[in-house]
Amino acid sequence: MGDNQPPQSRRFPSFPYEPYPIQLDFMSALYDSLDSGGIAMLESPTGTGKTLSIICSALQWIMDQKQRQPPKEPSTTHAGREDEPDWMRDFVIPIDPKKPSPPPLKELNKKKKKGLVGFGLENHPKKENKSSVEKPIKGRSSVVELDEEEEFLVEDYESEEEGLMGKSKRKGGIHVDSSSGDDGETEEEEVSPKVFFSSRTHSQLMQFMEELRKTAFASQLKTVCLGSRKNLCINPEVRKLGSSNRINERCLELQKNRKDHRTTVSKVKVVLEWTSTIAAMKYDAIFSDSMKVRSSGGKIQRTKVSCGCPMLSKNKLQKQFRDEAYKLHAVDIEDLVHLGNKTGTCPYYGSRSMVPAADLVVLPYQSLLLKSAGISLNLNLRNSIVIIDEAHNLADSLTSMYNSKITLSQLRQVHSLLEIYFNRFRTRLGAGNRRYIQTLMVITKAFLRYLENTSTMPLNSCGVETDFDKKPVMDASLTINEFLFSLDIDNINLIKLQRYVKESNIIYKVSGYGTKMVSLQSGTEVGDNGTPSGVEGSVVSGFQALVGILLSLTYDDTDGRIIVSKQSYTSLGHQDDAYLKFVMLSGERIFSEIVDQAHTVVLTGGTLQPIEETRVRLFPGLSLERLHFFSCNHIVPPESILPVAVSRGPSGMPFDFSYNTRSFPGMIEELGRLVCNLVTVVPEGIVVFFSSFEYEGQVYEAWKSSGILTRILQKKHLFREPRSNVDIETVLREYKESIISSSRTPKEEPILRGALLLAIVGGKISEGINFSDGFGRCIVMVGLPYPSPTDVELMERVRHLDGLGESTAPKPTENDKICSGFEILRRCNGRGKEYYENLCMKAVNQSIGRAIRHINDYAAVLLVDSRYASNPLKNSSSHPTNKLPLWIRNRLVSSTENYGEVHREGLHDLNCLLWVFNKQKGSQAM
């Protein structure tokens, strides 16, 4: 591993302020890593200007590379491929004046885009594909009429022989690109190298864009910010669906319908051109965006299938969108939405089309790390720079993207709709479609039998206990092969089946027909989301869940595990829905595809240690010597940070918030006494982190019953983190407003001073919300938030990691076939146990890092649990304090029982707090 010595300082003229020494060191380390290539891990504490340092270093490297590149040769006037010889490009075909001139190249390209060239349709009207054109009814040769159910009939499908499994064909199918239009638009030239900056949330990406606009790079380089459909969609009929899944489904459905519509319109227009009786008809008068069809009565009817999103009707608007976005410089997601509304075109697809010409692409994790998303976005990482921020949990984030799940209720719905569809169209389906649909029915039926049969479980099942009823839950873990063999479906070619589902559009055909039948039976209308009015969710979700499981079953047997959770009942009598879930365990193969393409991959974050875990999980083939690692200190002076390990409460009771003792009434009451003392001493804002929503609720109700809550409310306003992300912004706004208003009130007046916020480790607040200055004068971490060992997925990951690279890793014996999560942890001695401990401390580090955001900031951090206190007998690498960030660990004040002395009230801790806050009086940085 590369040493952590400060690199040679470089000049970064675009840094908008006078940089601090640690910022210069960080920028120099990043620049040197980009020069050398490979993989680098750069650690910079939160609040040290990490984002701005990344921008000014990485983009300076891009600018320097541009200057080093030789100037491009002027383009010649000869059209043609660059690899063609001069004599071929200069050759001119002699023109015979007696023959019609060939169509212009632009028109030929249009025909290619519409799928006409290459099928023999451009010059030979007699070779039309009869199966792909609507047949006119006898006696009405000039009228095109669609069957009422024709829209639900899947096109004929035939796959190649087994030896050519990688190819497939659709009868009568014509490929149409959903992004292509009628304007003959040319693609933009790919810029290389470029920087791909990725972070987990949209709020973090917007913060990055804010920092970018402070630099000259905002106007010097082309930038595009990618977001989700939910954030960028401007179609009101789609936006009102609410959830991300339903918006994605509807958007994709509209694009699919747009392809089908444009293909059908193109075919029918060609037929009309070839038919003399209707050659003079105006095509647009017959075929509008809603596919109008004339009936025998001369009336015009509309089909029920939408023919694409109106925000993508004209490509020239997309080009206008790109041009204006580049002129505005470094537009973020909100700017893209505003621009999309202004130009009347989709900002989601508009921003995607900007990627090739961009020097900097800002995108969320999902778009970069999920292979299907990268293909959809047409990302080209070759020789580029990939910077992944907030990479402390990158390995888990990566593997979780490849998880898939389908519930018992979804399976029942999918199987029922497949049966209805197959029975209705059996006689009209080709042999290929019949075979594949029957195979889907066989698989869904096998899944149903497996989940509905609660009498038996696999031999290697793992019974675990829940927090409430202490009864075994019917959960099991199997390898992919074990699962396929147990269902007797191992002989099915899942790769071909999955390809069929993707290419045939069977999902939308079956779900569309099924929802129509349901609406007819119930007497309700079909809504905009494809479901009957009043029905929650979309039936398409069930089919997409099935596709996800089918794809997961094609992975290597060692890549992951199938989790089977059968129906069970909670202590309240509620029935949990059974499900099948694939859990990806190894992200090495996925991440290696990014590493192999990019020139440099840089992982950054406030705390990345222990780096060995990340190396083993993402790039185990890379030795530590070849890994560039750099870590810098905090920008804040030591006297402005007070981390304290609080081992005892006000009455002298030891704090022990482990699972078995945290719910004791005395323990909760002792914590309440500590908080009552804090709200009296600490000004402005206090944030208290709990391990879970359940425990926070238990503590809140206990404080309410004992009167502690009343004492707290006499000093500060109290807010609680909501479970719903929709309400987060409201709670945070009210929390901050109460602190601001109290700071403006004269201290002589009797008014509440500041606020107390109860938050959750791993929740929205702990991951991406900043509490600078008075919004976070004190951060309280209650206990060690170890993840629940009752999580079967987590235990499978622990067992998997414990065996990585270890030939002597513990293997389940016959007596271990039924085991608890605690027993698994007791058996693990290596990387699995370390991973479990690291999950806890990474969550702690993220939470306490919410405070101290700039050089003039100050705060106290209380680690409330006796396990945080230093003890010579426990001074090992696995001790919690040794996993704290360096800037916290070096300044930690520990209060322990020395030589049997019992400390009362944590008086030493409170005196330290008073000293810090009194020292800063008069110099608060609000």
Side-chain angles (χ1 to χ4, degrees):
M1 179 182 64
D3 57 34
N4 197 33
Q5 296 298 321
Q8 182 179 3
S9 296
R10 297 177 180 270
R11 294 186 69 255
F12 298 96
S14 295
F15 202 87
Y17 315 110
E18 183 66 29
Y20 298 110
I22 64 170
Q23 293 173 333
L24 282 173
D25 292 342
F26 182 90
M27 288 188 288
S28 298
L30 176 55
Y31 194 102
D32 291 342
S33 298
L34 302 185
D35 263 346
S36 57
I39 300 177
M41 299 179 69
L42 277 68
E43 187 179 66
S44 180
T46 304
T48 56
K50 171 171 58 71
T51 301
L52 196 57
S53 299
I54 292 173
I55 292 171
C56 293
S57 179
L59 298 188
Q60 184 63 53
W61 187 87
I62 290 291
M63 293 291 291
D64 293 345
Q65 294 300 309
K66 284 180 175 291
Q67 293 178 1
R68 295 168 189 165
Q69 290 177 351
K72 295 183 179 180
E73 296 182 2
S75 58
T76 62
T77 57
H78 300 291
R81 293 167 49 108
E82 294 180 359
D83 56 353
E84 290 178 347
D86 294 340
W87 66 268
M88 180 174 284
R89 291 199 301 265
D90 296 338
F91 178 72
V92 179
I93 302 176
I95 300 177
D96 187 349
K98 296 181 180 180
K99 293 183 179 180
S101 59
L105 181 60
K106 184 176 180 181
E107 294 298 325
L108 189 61
N109 288 335
K110 283 186 178 182
K111 290 185 177 182
K112 285 184 177 181
K113 284 189 175 183
K114 295 180 180 181
L116 303 181
V117 178
F119 285 87
L121 298 181
E122 66 275 23
N123 295 320
H124 303 284
K126 293 183 180 180
K127 294 183 179 181
E128 62 185 80
N129 189 340
K130 296 180 180 179
S131 63
S132 63
V133 182
E134 302 298 337
K135 297 180 180 180
I137 299 178
K138 293 181 179 180
R140 301 174 191 169
S141 59
S142 62
V143 178
V144 179
E145 185 167 313
L146 297 178
D147 190 329
E148 185 179 356
E149 294 181 347
E150 191 74 19
E151 60 181 287
F152 301 116
L153 186 61
V154 65
E155 294 182 12
D156 290 343
Y157 185 95
E158 287 185 1
S159 60
E160 299 287 355
E161 296 299 327
E162 198 68 26
L164 299 176
M165 187 177 59
K167 298 180 180 180
S168 61
K169 63 181 180 180
R170 295 172 60 186
K171 288 184 176 180
I174 294 181
H175 174 72
V176 177
D177 184 5
S178 63
S179 63
S180 62
D182 298 329
D183 304 310
E185 182 185 347
T186 58
E187 295 183 358
E188 296 191 66
E189 183 181 357
E190 183 79 32
V191 171
S192 181
K194 63 178 65 181
V195 174
F196 292 89
F197 177 86
S198 181
S199 195
R200 291 190 316 104
T201 64
H202 285 96
S203 61
Q204 290 166 343
L205 297 180
M206 293 180 69
Q207 179 185 352
F208 178 89
M209 299 300 288
E210 289 178 6
E211 297 295 304
L212 175 63
R213 283 191 285 266
K214 297 177 182 178
T215 71
F217 296 121
S219 58
Q220 293 173 345
L221 298 174
K222 288 185 176 181
T223 303
V224 58
C225 185
L226 302 179
S228 66
R229 286 180 173 87
K230 182 176 182 180
N231 289 88
L232 290 173
C233 178
I234 60 172
N235 186 336
E237 296 301 316
V238 178
R239 285 186 59 84
K240 70 180 183 181
L241 298 179
S243 70
S244 298
N245 288 337
R246 294 175 68 184
I247 289 175
N248 290 338
E249 291 163 7
R250 184 56 178 158
C251 179
L252 292 173
E253 185 179 0
L254 286 173
Q255 302 318 306
K256 188 66 179 178
N257 290 337
R258 181 174 178 236
K259 290 182 184 180
D260 295 342
H261 162 67
R262 288 173 55 193
T263 302
T264 303
V265 171
S266 297
K267 295 174 186 177
V268 177
K269 284 186 177 182
V270 171
V271 175
L272 294 181
E273 285 181 326
W274 299 332
T275 307
S276 58
T277 56
I278 50 177
M281 297 178 65
K282 297 292 186 180
Y283 308 142
D284 293 337
I286 303 176
F287 301 100
S288 68
D289 289 339
S290 56
M291 189 59 186
K292 298 176 183 178
V293 181
R294 295 185 181 274
S295 66
S296 58
K299 297 181 180 180
I300 295 179
Q301 300 174 342
R302 295 177 181 265
T303 62
K304 295 182 180 180
V305 178
S306 173
C307 294
C309 180
M311 302 302 167
L312 278 173
S313 58
K314 294 182 180 179
N315 266 352
K316 63 181 180 181
L317 294 181
Q318 287 276 291
K319 185 178 186 304
Q320 179 186 349
F321 176 90
R322 289 198 300 270
D323 294 341
E324 294 195 23
Y326 286 139
K327 292 177 182 178
L328 292 174
H329 306 308
V331 292
D332 59 20
I333 293 175
E334 292 183 354
D335 297 327
L336 290 172
V337 172
H338 176 74
L339 182 57
N341 284 318
K342 175 184 174 183
T343 57
T345 190
C346 176
Y348 174 76
Y349 284 101
S351 59
R352 283 173 47 160
S353 66
M354 295 168 62
V355 171
D359 299 290
L360 170 63
V361 180
V362 182
L363 70 171
Y365 273 14
Q366 198 85 0
S367 300
L368 174 69
L369 301 176
L370 194 61
K371 187 173 182 179
S372 59
I375 294 174
S376 175
L377 293 171
N378 197 24
L379 298 182
N380 182 9
L381 305 182
R382 186 68 58 188
N383 298 325
S384 291
I385 306 302
V386 176
I387 301 177
I388 303 177
D389 197 20
E390 300 296 328
H392 54 283
N393 284 328
L394 176 60
D396 286 335
S397 299
L398 176 61
T399 53
S400 65
M401 293 178 189
Y402 288 83
N403 293 349
S404 57
K405 177 181 177 181
I406 188 168
T407 64
L408 179 61
S409 58
Q410 286 177 320
L411 276 170
R412 287 170 175 165
Q413 182 185 59
V414 168
H415 185 75
S416 174
L417 293 179
L418 283 171
E419 283 188 328
I420 293 174
Y421 183 87
F422 185 76
N423 292 334
R424 175 63 184 87
F425 295 100
R426 180 199 302 261
T427 58
R428 303 175 63 182
L429 293 171
N433 280 315
R434 286 200 302 270
R435 181 170 62 254
Y436 281 111
I437 294 175
Q438 286 176 315
T439 303
L440 286 172
M441 293 167 61
V442 168
I443 289 179
T444 54
K445 187 65 175 178
F447 289 170
L448 284 171
R449 284 197 304 267
Y450 195 76
L451 283 178
E452 291 173 340
N453 183 10
T454 58
S455 60
T456 59
M457 287 292 288
L459 290 177
N460 64 337
S461 61
C462 182
V464 297
E465 294 181 349
T466 63
D467 288 346
F468 303 103
D469 52 20
K470 303 295 182 183
K471 296 179 181 179
V473 178
M474 301 290 283
D475 283 353
S477 172
L478 301 88
T479 66
I480 295 175
N481 287 341
E482 288 172 342
F483 180 72
L484 293 175
F485 286 133
S486 63
L487 271 67
D488 197 24
I489 57 174
D490 55 293
N491 59 332
I492 296 177
N493 192 323
L494 295 174
I495 295 178
K496 293 183 69 175
L497 181 61
Q498 195 244 346
R499 183 178 294 115
Y500 165 76
V501 173
K502 179 181 179 181
E503 295 180 354
S504 66
N505 201 25
I506 188 66
I507 288 180
Y508 297 101
K509 299 294 184 180
V510 176
S511 60
Y513 182 75
T515 51
K516 178 181 179 180
M517 292 299 100
V518 172
S519 65
L520 291 176
Q521 293 174 2
S522 60
T524 58
E525 296 182 357
V526 177
D528 294 327
N529 61 334
T531 57
S533 301
V535 178
E536 290 290 333
S538 170
V539 295
V540 178
S541 300
F543 281 93
Q544 291 181 335
L546 177 63
V547 172
I549 288 291
L550 293 178
L551 176 62
S552 301
L553 294 176
T554 64
Y555 295 148
D556 291 343
D557 192 50
T558 57
D559 283 349
R561 294 290 184 272
I562 299 293
I563 305 297
V564 183
S565 180
K566 300 199 175 184
Q567 282 185 329
S568 60
Y569 293 86
T570 66
S571 59
L572 300 178
H574 299 149
Q575 182 178 352
D576 291 333
D577 201 359
Y579 61 83
L580 298 173
K581 183 174 184 179
F582 173 79
V583 180
M584 179 70 77
L585 297 178
S586 176
E588 171 193 351
R589 182 168 54 85
I590 304 168
F591 196 70
S592 65
E593 296 182 6
I594 297 177
V595 174
D596 292 342
Q597 294 182 63
H599 169 71
T600 308
V601 175
V602 181
L603 309 184
T604 66
T607 172
L608 297 179
Q609 301 188 44
I611 63 172
E612 173 63 7
E613 177 196 322
T614 302
R615 185 193 69 82
V616 169
R617 297 186 63 189
L618 293 181
F619 30 89
L622 185 73
S623 64
L624 286 176
E625 290 73 20
R626 295 174 54 201
L627 176 63
H628 307 286
F629 178 76
F630 175 79
S631 178
C632 62
N633 293 320
H634 208 294
I635 200 172
V636 177
E639 59 269 18
S640 296
I641 304 173
L642 179 65
V644 181
V646 183
S647 59
R648 290 182 174 273
S651 66
M653 175 183 289
F655 279 129
D656 181 8
F657 291 97
S658 58
Y659 180 77
N660 292 328
T661 59
R662 67 181 184 181
S663 298
F664 288 171
M667 189 67 60
I668 295 177
E669 189 173 348
E670 188 76 355
L671 176 63
R673 295 191 190 101
L674 174 64
V675 173
C676 285
N677 290 332
L678 290 177
V679 298
T680 303
V681 175
V682 180
E684 301 169 311
I686 303 176
V687 184
V688 182
F689 284 100
F690 293 89
S691 58
S692 66
F693 280 104
E694 290 76 17
Y695 186 57
E696 184 272 339
Q698 184 180 359
V699 170
Y700 180 84
E701 293 299 327
W703 287 354
K704 186 177 180 180
S705 301
S706 63
I708 291 178
L709 187 62
T710 302
R711 293 168 55 189
I712 293 174
L713 293 175
Q714 291 174 351
K715 298 293 183 180
K716 290 185 182 295
H717 297 281
L718 187 141
F719 300 90
R720 304 171 66 189
E721 179 174 351
R723 289 179 179 265
S724 173
N725 290 338
V726 178
D727 302 324
I728 285 286
E729 293 185 4
T730 301
V731 172
L732 288 175
R733 184 178 65 254
E734 294 176 353
Y735 167 76
K736 293 181 177 181
E737 285 177 353
S738 64
I739 293 173
I740 294 174
S741 61
S742 63
S743 65
R744 294 172 178 172
T745 305
K747 295 186 177 181
E748 293 76 16
E749 295 185 13
I751 191 171
L752 299 180
R753 296 294 173 188
L756 174 71
L757 175 62
L758 307 183
I760 310 301
V761 175
K764 183 76 172 179
I765 289 177
S766 71
E767 289 293 329
I769 306 300
N770 297 332
F771 294 98
S772 60
D773 301 314
F775 301 137
R777 287 294 178 221
C778 183
I779 304 294
V780 181
M781 174 58 60
V782 179
L784 285 158
Y786 286 106
S788 172
T790 63
D791 187 340
V792 179
E793 300 173 29
L794 173 61
M795 291 301 103
E796 279 300 320
R797 190 168 287 112
V798 167
R799 291 170 63 177
H800 173 74
L801 289 172
D802 206 63
L804 277 179
E806 301 288 344
S807 59
T808 59
K811 298 294 191 299
T813 63
E814 196 64 33
N815 295 329
D816 294 327
K817 296 302 183 183
I818 298 180
C819 56
S820 69
F822 294 102
E823 291 171 348
I824 292 175
L825 291 174
R826 281 192 289 268
R827 290 205 315 268
C828 292
N829 297 314
R831 294 188 179 117
K833 184 178 181 181
E834 183 181 3
Y835 165 72
Y836 182 76
E837 294 172 347
N838 290 342
L839 283 178
C840 169
M841 292 311 300
K842 284 180 181 179
V844 170
N845 294 339
Q846 275 296 108
S847 299
I848 63 180
R850 296 305 92 205
I852 310 293
R853 310 303 298 185
H854 56 83
I855 192 170
N856 295 319
D857 207 352
Y858 62 94
V861 176
L862 303 189
L863 305 174
V864 184
D865 199 296
S866 58
R867 291 172 289 179
Y868 286 112
S870 61
N871 188 325
L873 299 178
K874 296 182 179 180
N875 190 16
S876 64
S877 60
S878 62
H879 193 265
T881 56
N882 289 327
K883 297 181 184 294
L884 290 169
L886 190 62
W887 61 278
I888 289 285
R889 187 164 70 244
N890 291 343
R891 305 167 190 181
L892 182 65
V893 177
S894 181
S895 59
T896 60
E897 306 164 82
N898 294 324
Y899 309 105
E901 177 185 0
V902 177
H903 288 250
R904 288 185 52 80
E905 212 275 283
L907 186 61
H908 171 71
D909 306 333
L910 294 178
N911 285 337
C912 289
L913 285 173
L914 283 171
W915 178 80
V916 169
F917 296 127
N918 288 331
K919 184 183 78 69
Q920 297 290 345
K921 185 181 297 184
S923 61
Q924 296 182 4
M926 286 296 294

